[in-house]
Amino acid sequence: MTLGQHTKRRTFLTGSAAVAATSILGAALPVRPAGAQQAGRTPIRRPIPKSGEMIPAIGLGTFETFDILPGEPRDDLRDVIRLFHENGGRVIDTSPLYGTAEVCVGDFIMDLGIADDIFITNKTWTTGDYLSDNSHSERQLRQSRERLWRERIDVLQVHSLENHDQVRHWLAHKKAEGSIRYIGITQWSPEYYDTMERLVNTGTLDFVQIAYTIVTRAAEQRLLDACSANGRRGPGQHSL
């Protein structure tokens, strides 16, 4: 690793607002009671470049882990969100494609009385019956809002760049009318990072969600610089 690469990675890791859980790292750490957090310590927070709004740098992901079959026990997941919030966590990442994850998150944050204190990053995956058909996107957003018990979604991102040319324009319209606060794109595969870089450079995005880990570092080549230059918040994907 060159000095420049090391500096770039260190800067990103300390400055990014990762909206997904550190699932791999978390699994290796011992479980501590909520009271074990050192007094006076709060999670690292970073500003969203486009607005200056402060959010914690690490969030909670829900892929697979929050997809619980109806009727199956899920109190353990409720406790995860409770402890997450009690220790300063605020950002939760989910998607309609994650099975019952949206349902679980919505039920838990309402039951715990913390819904207004949670920053939700969600996704949309739609095509439409014909060119410029936004009915699928509208239906999915309505469903997500019902599942999450929210009038407005904090972040809505094009999941894996699916139909992104059409959906990005629709997202811009929903942001303008106030249904969502920030828009973004996601993709876990580095082979799409050239496309993501091009979209970042349009200046219309607020968030970019990517795979960026010790063993997945392709984003360092150009994408992170593009995000920095265009004021994007570039979170990692599920495990930093």
Side-chain angles (χ1 to χ4, degrees):
M1 181 191 301
T2 66
L3 177 61
Q5 288 175 322
H6 178 78
T7 301
K8 183 182 295 183
R9 179 167 180 78
R10 181 179 61 194
T11 301
F12 177 76
L13 287 175
T14 57
S16 67
V19 300
T22 56
S23 56
I24 294 177
L25 178 59
L29 295 176
V31 176
R32 299 185 304 164
Q37 185 179 9
Q38 294 184 26
R41 293 193 62 183
T42 57
I44 296 171
R45 301 171 72 87
R46 291 289 184 265
I48 298 173
K50 283 292 193 70
S51 68
E53 179 179 1
M54 300 293 290
I55 58 175
I58 300 294
L60 177 67
T62 60
F63 176 61
E64 292 189 341
T65 53
F66 276 67
D67 182 13
I68 304 300
L69 291 175
E72 290 293 312
R74 58 176 191 167
D75 286 348
D76 57 331
L77 296 179
R78 182 183 183 278
D79 287 340
V80 166
I81 287 186
R82 177 179 59 81
L83 291 170
F84 173 72
H85 181 263
E86 287 178 359
N87 285 273
R90 295 295 181 268
V91 181
I92 298 180
D93 178 66
T94 191
S95 171
L97 272 69
Y98 296 170
T100 60
E102 282 183 317
V103 175
C104 288
V105 170
D107 287 352
F108 296 151
I109 63 177
M110 287 298 295
D111 182 54
L112 291 166
I114 60 173
D116 292 340
D117 208 24
I118 296 296
F119 186 95
I120 296 287
T121 68
N122 205 3
K123 307 176 187 71
T124 181
W125 175 297
T126 57
T127 53
D129 291 327
Y130 52 85
L131 186 64
S132 300
D133 174 26
N134 290 320
S135 64
H136 294 191
S137 298
E138 292 283 354
R139 184 166 59 250
Q140 191 169 85
L141 174 58
R142 182 168 59 252
Q143 174 182 270
S144 290
R145 290 166 64 184
E146 291 173 354
R147 289 176 169 178
L148 292 164
W149 297 69
R150 299 177 80 90
E151 285 295 320
R152 184 170 61 170
I153 304 296
D154 294 302
V155 182
L156 195 58
Q157 306 177 98
V158 184
H159 200 146
S160 296
L161 297 178
E162 179 67 25
N163 192 27
H164 68 84
D165 283 332
Q166 171 66 26
V167 178
R168 282 186 299 109
H169 292 293
W170 172 78
L171 286 173
H173 173 70
K174 304 312 289 186
K175 179 181 178 180
E177 73 175 25
S179 297
I180 59 178
R181 300 177 59 211
Y182 300 102
I183 65 177
I185 54 176
T186 80
Q187 179 51 250
W188 61 271
S189 175
E191 67 180 288
Y192 292 95
Y193 285 3
D194 286 347
T195 298
M196 297 186 84
E197 180 189 10
R198 175 175 61 81
L199 296 178
V200 165
N201 287 330
T202 66
T204 60
L205 301 174
D206 303 307
F207 276 72
V208 175
Q209 186 168 330
I210 57 176
Y212 185 47
T213 70
I214 294 296
V215 297
T216 307
R217 299 176 52 180
E220 292 179 352
Q221 295 173 5
R222 295 200 313 265
L223 185 55
L224 298 188
D225 285 338
C227 289
S228 177
N230 287 276
R232 301 295 165 276
R233 175 60 68 208
Q237 178 76 23
H238 299 305
S239 57
L240 273 176

